[in-house]
């Protein structure tokens, strides 16, 4: 049976190979371990094998896990859809939010970010697959949203996040990720982050400039939502 440590070694090798193929420094690509539906013990195992950044989609589940792991210096990333009534807890308990797609949510996160914490790192989720995905702002709405978020005092806008529609066609996958990078470049803002690429498409995302790949299945195995 493969362990989480074995899986981390394998994913790190995929990242290194993809970076080399793209002529990029693999140190510029962060591995964000997506631990949704997995127990705190799995996070602890991944931490022991060297990972520090963990992504969660469901607030209550994340808060429970965080409470079990307060002895570890972890960096927590919220990557799921955000309802207004969840913003206070997210502002209080996370270091990054990758899934901001409207101004109202960003304003609440800024207002509710505790004064003793550094600015909350923000990625705007953008929908580059049209109707195939419900989450994310439209490319047309992105410039105004990014400018407004960049002005909020307790947030630090870092870049864009996207989940393009999965496809077996590598050229189409590359084009979708390239579109995210092109959108980022078109914003005249000092952004340094492209959160894109998951277990099945991290090579394509890295080829197009990803700086965070968000990896769940390839690290922790398949998720069983029936048990969650
Ligand atoms: C679940 C999830 C991931 C991880 O997906 P895998 O295919 O398991 O690697 C990445 N990003 C987001 C936003 C997710 O919800």
């Amino acid at each position: 049976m493969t362990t989480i440590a074995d899986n981390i070694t394998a994913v790190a090798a995929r990242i290194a190979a993809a970076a080399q193929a793209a002529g990029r420094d693999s140190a510029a690509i962060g591995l964000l371990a997506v631990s949704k539906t997995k127990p705190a013990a799995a996070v602890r195992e991944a931490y022991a094998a060297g990972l520090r950044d963990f992504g969660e989609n469901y607030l209550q589940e994340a808060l429970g896990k965080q409470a079990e792991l307060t002895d570890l210096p972890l960096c927590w990333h919220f990557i799921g859809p955000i309802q207004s009534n969840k913003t206070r807890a997210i502002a209080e308990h996370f270091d990054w939010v990758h899934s901001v797609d409207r101004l109202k949510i960003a304003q609440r996160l800024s207002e509710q970010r505790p004064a003793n914490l550094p600015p909350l790192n923000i990625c705007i989720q953008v929908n580059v697959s049209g109707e195939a995905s419900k989450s994310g702002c439209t490319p047309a709405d992105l410039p105004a949203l990014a400018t407004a978020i960049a002005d909020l005092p307790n947030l630090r806008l870092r870049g864009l996040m996207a989940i393009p529609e999965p496809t077996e066609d590598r050229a189409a996958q590359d084009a979708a990720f390239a579109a995210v990078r092109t959108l980022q470049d078109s914003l005249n803002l000092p952004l340094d982050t492209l959160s894109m690429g998951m277990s099945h498409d991290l090579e394509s995302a890295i080829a197009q400039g990803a700086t965070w790949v968000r990896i769940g299945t390839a690290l922790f195995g398949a998720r069983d939502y029936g048990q969650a």
Side-chain angles (χ1 to χ4, degrees), residues 159-181:
L160 303 184
M161 184 274 247
I163 312 173
E165 196 181 2
T167 166
E168 295 301 315
D169 177 349
R170 173 67 193 253
Q173 195 78 80
D174 284 353
F177 286 125
V180 182
R181 190 184 53 187

Side-chain angles (χ1 to χ4, degrees), residues 19-213:
Q20 191 180 20
R24 299 183 58 201
D25 181 355
S26 62
I29 300 150
L31 172 53
L32 175 55
V34 177
S35 45
K36 66 183 175 206
T37 80
K38 301 298 177 182
V43 174
R44 207 171 271 288
E45 213 177 313
Y47 172 84
L51 299 193
R52 295 292 176 270
D53 288 273
F54 293 86
E56 291 280 342
N57 296 56
Y58 311 108
L59 180 64
Q60 292 314 316
E61 182 198 337
L63 295 179
K65 238 174 273 185
Q66 289 175 353
E68 290 183 64
L69 297 164
T70 51
D71 56 311
L72 302 183
L74 304 178
C75 187
W76 289 100
H77 300 241
F78 195 84
I79 63 173
I82 305 172
Q83 298 157 271
S84 295
N85 64 351
K86 303 282 167 60
T87 53
R88 183 174 299 281
I90 292 171
E92 290 174 352
H93 294 279
F94 287 82
D95 304 290
W96 284 75
V97 181
H98 292 231
S99 44
V100 172
D101 63 3
R102 53 197 204 278
L103 185 57
K104 181 185 167 196
I105 295 295
Q107 286 167 331
R108 290 174 65 94
L109 290 170
S110 182
E111 281 161 20
Q112 294 166 344
R113 181 67 168 170
N116 63 319
L117 295 179
L120 186 58
N121 294 295
I122 299 291
C123 294
I124 298 175
Q125 184 174 350
V126 61
N127 179 357
V128 290
S129 300
E131 285 173 17
S133 158
K134 302 163 292 294
S135 298
C137 80
T138 64
D141 289 341
L142 177 65
L145 180 60
T147 304
I149 291 178
D151 278 341
L152 292 172
N154 301 317
L155 305 183
R156 183 167 169 218
L157 181 61
R158 300 295 297 267
L160 303 184
M161 184 274 247
I163 312 173
E165 196 181 2
T167 166
E168 295 301 315
D169 177 349
R170 173 67 193 253
Q173 195 78 80
D174 284 353
F177 286 125
V180 182
R181 190 184 53 187
T182 299
L183 283 170
Q184 167 125 302
D185 291 344
S186 73
L187 300 171
N188 247 325
L189 293 167
L191 304 176
D192 62 6
T193 300
L194 280 174
S195 171
M196 57 188 198
M198 310 192 346
S199 292
H200 62 281
D201 59 12
L202 70 87
E203 284 82 4
S204 172
I206 288 171
Q208 303 307 321
T211 64
W212 280 118
V213 289

